[in-house]
Amino acid sequence: FDLDDFKFKNDSLGHDSGDDVLGQFASRIRHCVESAAGADPIVARFGGDEFVALIGGEDVRDTAAKAAESVLAELQRPLQVADRQVFLGASVGIAVFPEDAASAATLLKNGDIAMYQAKVAGKNCYRFYSRAMDQAVERRVRLEHDLRGAWERGELSVAYQPIFRLGNGQLVGAEALLRWQHPEHGVIPPSVFIDVAEQTGQIEAIGRQVMERACVEAMRWERESALPFVSVNVSARQLRVGDLVQTVSNALAQSGLEPDRLHLEITETAVMGDEIQTSDLLARL
């Protein structure tokens, strides 16, 4: 069991409250697992925000699935921390002995792989381990490795999709879109590599680079054709980090672009159960 986005929650609540969250989560896991398993399971904190349950008995797959479903359902109820209600999700991975592993170490490793696949599937869900997951994880790790430094190597580029006014067909702006031309695998779809960038935190640096490039290009357009604006997509992770205002200010200052010629497309307004104060953020922008 691994809490989803706990690091951000811990940073926003403070570490004392974060410890309280972990304690309450541990209690809920133990209650749910014991209720599902019947016999005495072993439940332990494995490290950080990760917990492990060892369940035995007949029909262990069904029992494990019931335990996972129970924990996920239990997390629909908020945790009470000081005077705040905190909502959490969890990703759960399940591996079964002896079908999935012949040793305790391999069983833990494969359970971790299944948990990772639950996160890839959208979080707040559970997955059973399968051997096909090994290849998927290997591809994912390789993609994450290749993405590091891709901007500096010239593999990442910004394309611009024109935006027209439907009433008269006038060109009014352009949307900046990131593209990756991998030297070995060709074009990697944004739906694949943006997700990797989000989960690994690389989106922060890449988003800043795209912002700066788009502003420079928009300034060039102003001299050539007076294109009204450029639109840049902003990810939820860039909002969480909290330096978006500074990133935008720097990009505008370096390029000389007027603020009203940069449009931001914010794709998510809710993160980890807390509503982002978008109005306040936009006011500062």
Side-chain angles (χ1 to χ4, degrees), residues 10-213:
N10 197 33
D11 290 343
S12 63
L13 291 172
H15 291 274
D16 288 343
S17 294
D19 289 344
D20 188 9
V21 168
L22 289 176
Q24 293 187 49
F25 181 53
S27 297
R28 293 193 184 188
I29 288 178
R30 177 173 293 280
H31 172 73
C32 292
V33 171
E34 288 179 347
S35 297
D40 293 331
I42 296 173
V43 182
R45 183 185 178 197
F46 199 60
D49 59 347
E50 189 169 289
F51 295 79
V52 173
L54 182 63
I55 299 172
E58 299 294 328
D59 299 322
V60 69
R61 293 180 68 89
D62 289 342
T63 301
K66 289 176 181 176
E69 290 168 356
S70 179
V71 170
L72 296 176
E74 184 68 15
L75 287 179
Q76 298 302 306
R77 295 192 304 109
L79 300 170
Q80 191 68 37
V81 180
D83 58 346
R84 294 185 59 182
Q85 287 189 330
V86 178
F87 289 88
L88 291 171
S91 298
V92 186
I94 304 171
V96 180
F97 174 87
E99 294 94 321
D100 299 331
S103 69
T106 306
L107 192 67
L108 282 169
K109 177 180 75 71
N110 292 344
D112 198 53
I113 288 173
M115 182 271 292
Y116 180 78
Q117 289 301 309
K119 287 191 180 295
V120 171
K123 304 180 181 179
N124 201 39
C125 62
Y126 70 92
R127 290 292 183 270
F128 279 92
Y129 170 80
S130 70
R131 300 196 184 281
M133 288 181 178
D134 288 328
Q135 296 178 337
V137 169
E138 183 180 345
R139 287 194 300 269
R140 183 85 172 193
V141 170
R142 189 163 57 245
L143 199 65
E144 176 186 336
H145 177 271
D146 292 347
L147 185 57
R148 296 189 186 278
W151 182 274
E152 289 74 15
R153 294 191 300 270
E155 299 170 15
L156 291 174
S157 62
V158 182
Y160 296 93
Q161 179 169 279
I163 300 173
F164 295 93
R165 181 176 291 117
L166 292 178
N168 56 14
Q170 179 183 358
L171 179 65
V172 295
E175 179 183 5
L177 301 172
L178 188 62
R179 296 292 181 262
W180 185 11
Q181 180 70 37
H182 193 283
E184 181 181 351
H185 303 296
V187 176
I188 306 294
S191 59
V192 173
F193 75 82
I194 292 295
D195 182 54
V196 173
E198 283 269 6
Q199 293 197 6
T200 60
Q202 296 184 60
I203 194 66
E204 296 161 28
I206 293 173
R208 182 169 58 252
Q209 290 158 334
V210 170
M211 184 86 66
E212 293 171 356
R213 177 70 59 81

